[in-house]
Amino acid sequence: MFHVVRQRVVRCSTEHAWACLTEPAKLTSWFGDTDSISVGSTTRFDFGDGDYFIAEVLELNRPTDIHMSWRFMGIGQTFTVRVLLSPHSEGTEVTVIDHGSLTVEEVDSLREGWDDFLMRLSQFVDNGGWVRYEWSQTIGISVILGSRARRPFPTEMVDSAWLTKHFPDAEFEIERPDENILTLRFGERSWAGKQTEALLESRALAPDRLYLGVVHKGWENLPADSCLRERRRYAGLWREVMAAFENAYGE
């Protein structure tokens, strides 16, 4: 497994930075919705577009150390995240250490994500107010399957009848450019002739472990009054599909 380390100096005291990272009312303005953060608790960070993290709070050492583990959408790989706060001549140095990535592509994505996280924290510290992103234009979910999964994809995933069962309102175009890649183009009657595209990838991590990921794009191209609603709906559908694979084939 890989780890990602990102840092940024924010212009405030460590106590204020701590409050921005642990108080739900402040987190809502720059990161995501959550009810409470306390040691031993399970909390949900909800981003309003169908995406969320389910986190377990492991340690809170005020005002310098936050330690938690979380899973995106409550499935897939467990990541451990440590946020360290250190006094700095210009305020507080915030260091994020994220451990659990299994692929180089995932590492690159997390670097980008944490840089955005720290930028929004800095903006909130400087200006207050709402600085969260509106919504993500990409649905991305992955799970790790065990030796029982048929390779390179579980057979259900290339069965049009199975796809119709799980995405009942959609019509599909299916392409398989190689054995480890599957492209699905989705269209629905209410989408005014527009399509979205899901890229599915399988990858052997070890003889008995299979990475299965989906990246579904194109939501911003749908009619403006429905793009966010449809993005939320499909995030839920993909979560159900990937959770079913994890339950059936995970170790």
Side-chain angles (χ1 to χ4, degrees):
M1 287 188 286
F2 304 103
H3 66 268
V4 171
V5 179
R6 310 308 282 169
Q7 289 182 314
R8 188 177 182 119
V9 174
V10 297
R11 292 189 289 267
C12 68
S13 67
T14 55
E15 281 289 349
H16 184 64
W18 177 267
C20 293
L21 288 158
T22 59
E23 293 181 8
K26 290 181 171 60
L27 282 165
T28 293
S29 294
W30 70 272
F31 181 58
D33 301 321
T34 189
D35 293 331
S36 64
I37 297 177
S38 59
V39 175
S41 69
T42 298
T43 190
R44 173 169 165 148
F45 296 100
D46 200 315
F47 302 107
D49 57 4
D51 290 354
Y52 58 90
F53 282 101
I54 300 295
E56 180 183 358
V57 182
L58 304 174
E59 292 181 72
L60 291 174
N61 298 308
R62 183 172 185 159
T64 61
D65 186 5
I66 301 165
H67 188 198
M68 64 180 66
S69 64
W70 65 22
R71 301 173 81 198
F72 184 62
M73 307 285 271
I75 59 175
Q77 179 74 358
T78 298
F79 293 80
T80 59
V81 177
R82 195 146 216 154
V83 182
L84 304 174
L85 306 179
S86 303
H88 188 279
S89 60
E90 297 180 9
T92 300
E93 183 179 68
V94 183
T95 302
V96 177
I97 305 169
D98 186 330
H99 181 72
S101 299
L102 297 172
T103 68
V104 173
E105 292 82 2
E106 198 167 52
V107 168
D108 290 339
S109 177
L110 283 173
R111 286 195 183 106
E112 182 179 337
W114 283 118
D115 283 344
D116 182 76
F117 168 95
L118 292 171
M119 177 195 72
R120 292 179 190 279
L121 171 61
S122 181
Q123 289 176 342
F124 180 70
V125 165
D126 289 345
N127 305 310
W130 186 271
V131 293
R132 274 170 57 174
Y133 67 82
E134 185 177 357
W135 57 284
S136 174
Q137 296 179 0
T138 300
I139 299 170
I141 307 177
S142 63
V143 290
I144 308 301
L145 308 181
S147 57
R148 290 176 293 160
R150 296 182 179 89
R151 318 234 170 164
F153 286 103
T155 50
E156 301 96 322
M157 192 155 272
V158 292
D159 182 341
S160 59
W162 182 90
L163 289 166
T164 298
K165 175 183 176 182
H166 287 274
F167 301 95
D169 298 319
E171 296 180 353
F172 307 94
E173 296 175 12
I174 303 173
E175 294 182 7
R176 195 170 183 179
D178 68 50
E179 67 172 4
N180 295 306
I181 300 291
L182 188 66
T183 300
L184 303 176
R185 293 184 181 88
F186 289 79
E188 292 200 14
R189 186 171 300 175
S190 64
W191 291 3
K194 302 295 184 180
Q195 288 185 318
T196 62
E197 183 175 288
L199 179 69
L200 292 95
E201 179 185 8
S202 69
R203 181 181 306 178
L205 299 174
D208 60 346
R209 300 186 83 200
L210 180 72
Y211 169 92
L212 181 63
V214 58
V215 176
H216 195 158
K217 298 181 178 182
W219 306 103
E220 70 277 13
N221 299 323
L222 300 187
D225 62 347
S226 64
C227 55
L228 178 54
R229 181 183 68 244
E230 293 299 278
R231 195 265 186 221
R232 286 193 190 111
R233 181 165 69 92
Y234 268 75
L237 293 173
W238 276 118
R239 195 270 174 200
E240 291 176 7
V241 165
M242 300 298 269
F245 283 134
E246 186 175 66
N247 291 334
Y249 300 118
E251 293 293 327

